[in-house]
Amino acid sequence: MTQNHYSPQCCSNYQKRSEKTIKPTSTKAVEYTCPMHPEVISQGPGICLKCGMALEPKAISLDEGHNPELEDMQKRFWGAAILSAFVLLLSMGTMVKEDIFNNLSSFFLRWSEFVLSTPVVIWAGGPFFQRAVTSLQNKNLNMFTLLALGIGTAYIYSCVALFWPHLFPSTTIVHGHEVALYFESASLITALALLGQVLELKARQQTTQALKSLLKLMPDTARFVKENGHEHDTQISNIRIGDILRVRPGEKIPLDGVVLEGTSLVDESMVTGEPIPVDKSIGSKVIAGTLNGAGSFLMRVEKEQGETFLAKIVQLVSDAQRTKAPIQRMADLTSSYFVPFVIVAAIITFVAWFNYGPEPRLNFALINAVAVLIIACPCALGLATPMSIMMGTSLGAQKGILIKNAEAIETLEKVDTLIVDKTGTLTLGKPQVVSIFTDNSIKNEELLRYAASLEIASEHPLAQAIVRRAQKLNLPLLKLEGFQTIIGKGARGLIEGKEIMVGNKSFLEENDVNTSSFMSQADNLRRDAQTIIFVALNKELKGIIGIADPLKDSSKEAINHLRDLGIKMYMVTGDHEATAKAVAGQLGIKDVKAGATPVDKLEIIKSLQASGAKVAMAGDGINDAPALAQADVGIAMGTGTDAAIHSAGITLVKGDLRGIIQARRLSSEVIKNIKQNLFLAFIYNILGVPIAAGVLYPFLGHLLSPIVAAAAMSLSSVSVIWNALNLKKVKL
């Protein structure tokens, strides 16, 4: 057939059409957002005005190893660590004055501490002070407010003690001759806080590796076919919609498109998770990043680099990682009150020790107040929820579960009612010929051949099912003349001089065809959820064709498992009642609503929600979109329409209901992980603040050093990060 022939002229036509669709490369500024406060959006890098954290690009890129914030923090940390080690060594000299320090004057040691600690505090700790000032200006006190107060207090006190020691009472003199300095505390606290920042940034970077691995599936080049038929390799970024590409055996498909010529088997497992290669022929859709088999084919590009299915998956998951789960509101509310509480607690600690503590009271008061400020930094509290959400959504993406927002993760665990559409959700959504009955005058293949030769001129889904069956059996089609279709009833035409009629029972009876001979078989097929097509030659009924939308292989298993979890099942479909009940009977679903309009589906969900149910809706069509949006959790089949996918909170790439089971298990694990993180953060602060304030001093005679407090503060963040990373081990 000439329509299957690919020529330079054909290519030229496509190329000319594509010229009109070429878009210039976008110059839109990169948007940045806060990993903990996604509502904060900036057109460039900066810091979050709420928490002080560095903003990061919203879009995921393959830029390896270039994280300006991480690189900067690493430089500052190593500089602070080296200089702080020397400051600590010198401070030991001022205290012990022996061995290697015997020949060094106290003046030299104290001023050396000042010289070495100043770049640590001013340069290495500079971001902490900048973010603290911003927090005060915007009235959003955060962890950097506390860090700056603690480090700044220790440093400024030490500077005053060094330059103007006469201002201090004699009770502040230690080791018999000098006012105590705390340059080593200021330096080491800065270094430890920077270490915490580095570890946090590295952990955040690690959470995006799964998404970057998806982007790496995209090839860098494509085989471009010119208007004259000549071919050459070019960068993917140069390809535009409408361009013609050749995909050779063993190559990755460069962009989303449609096959124009050739056939092959394509491994789509990296996107869908299905291990069985998919047949691709003329008209088949192909997905960027999937692996071509032994065949070669030509394809027309339908999506540019940033708009491919794979790119949209990555961006969807990336956006989801920055959304807030309802459970995070508790952490946010707590943090908003916590920082002012800590500042007050530090002031009370200082006053109490200064008025009632042992000598040197000023020293004790200062040390304990700084320790309170440092140990209570709420960084672990702020990381508790976002880290778990980021890991959970990344894990889901690897398993073909795309989560649009964090709320969907939290809500899915609470769902007790699931409403499922039939077509495309429980079934394949593609009608197939499953039964053929004929009289003794004609064979099954011959009846199918006549029907397909007529229906090839029709675009009706049932007609196309008949054609596909004939093509699969390699039945040669016959020449058709005088084709006529009657909407909603059937079609007729002339084939080899014979009048062929294909359609429903009423259509044939209206044209004086007796259908009684096959009514018994037809009734039996209807009970099996099959649609009956009657076929007549020269007004004599020759047979019937049963067409059904087969159940997905996984539907029964998934429904049974969900029922075992205590989830109540409903089927709500726009299909006929007989078909709907037949399918529901096969799956053991008792509650069925057939002939439902989009409004009906919406009202059913509202009614269930009003009765206290937590409702999830699974669907795939445009008609399901309102219900998906109304449900507590909308679950779209990745094989369905864009409208359904955009309306849902969760998308199952494979269109397999077993993905709901995996998603629910993921939801449970993520929420459990968040609760563990919040517990770690809360218990750490509940215990840490009183200890830092010195409540154990009367019993043990020891105080918590600000340096130890800084180490404990960093350790709390690390423990939360480590716990969140454990989600990678979860088996779905």
Side-chain angles (χ1 to χ4, degrees), residues 104-116:
L104 300 176
S105 67
S106 175
F107 176 85
F108 174 80
L109 293 172
R110 290 166 69 85
W111 277 90
S112 295
E113 284 187 53
F114 165 72
V115 171
L116 293 173

Side-chain angles (χ1 to χ4, degrees), residues 127-156:
F128 300 155
F129 293 99
Q130 292 171 1
R131 296 173 187 186
V133 171
T134 302
S135 74
L136 293 171
Q137 290 173 339
N138 293 280
K139 300 179 181 179
N140 283 299
L141 305 183
N142 51 51
M143 59 173 286
F144 297 104
T145 314
L146 300 182
L147 274 175
L149 282 173
I151 296 170
T153 301
Y155 179 77
I156 292 172

Side-chain angles (χ1 to χ4, degrees), residues 33-35 38 56-61 207-208 211-212 214-215 311-323 389-390 393-394 397 402-405:
T33 187
C34 175
E56 57 187 24
K58 291 185 69 175
I60 298 293
S61 74
T207 60
T208 64
L211 299 182
K212 288 187 177 183
L214 288 177
L215 285 178
K312 287 183 176 179
I313 286 178
V314 171
Q315 194 55 54
L316 180 68
V317 178
S318 178
D319 292 342
Q321 290 180 341
R322 299 186 179 98
T323 58
I389 295 296
M390 291 174 74
T393 50
S394 293
L402 306 183
I403 301 166
K404 185 183 292 185
N405 54 62

Side-chain angles (χ1 to χ4, degrees), residues 79-96 101 108-121 154-155 158 162 181-191 707:
I82 294 170
L83 292 175
S84 296
F86 284 106
V87 174
L88 179 62
L89 187 64
L90 292 170
S91 69
M92 293 172 60
T94 61
M95 291 185 287
V96 296
F101 303 105
F108 174 80
L109 293 172
R110 290 166 69 85
W111 277 90
S112 295
E113 284 187 53
F114 165 72
V115 171
L116 293 173
S117 65
T118 296
V120 174
V121 174
Y155 179 77
S158 300
L162 178 65
L181 303 180
Y182 298 101
F183 288 123
E184 82 284 356
S185 295
S187 299
L188 286 172
I189 291 170
T190 302
I707 297 171

Side-chain angles (χ1 to χ4, degrees), residues 22 116 224 238 359 370 416 493 510 568 571 604 617 711:
I22 292 177
L116 293 173
F224 179 73
N238 297 329
E359 296 292 352
V370 170
D416 54 26
E510 289 172 4
K568 189 170 183 179
M571 179 197 289
I604 290 171
M617 166 72 188

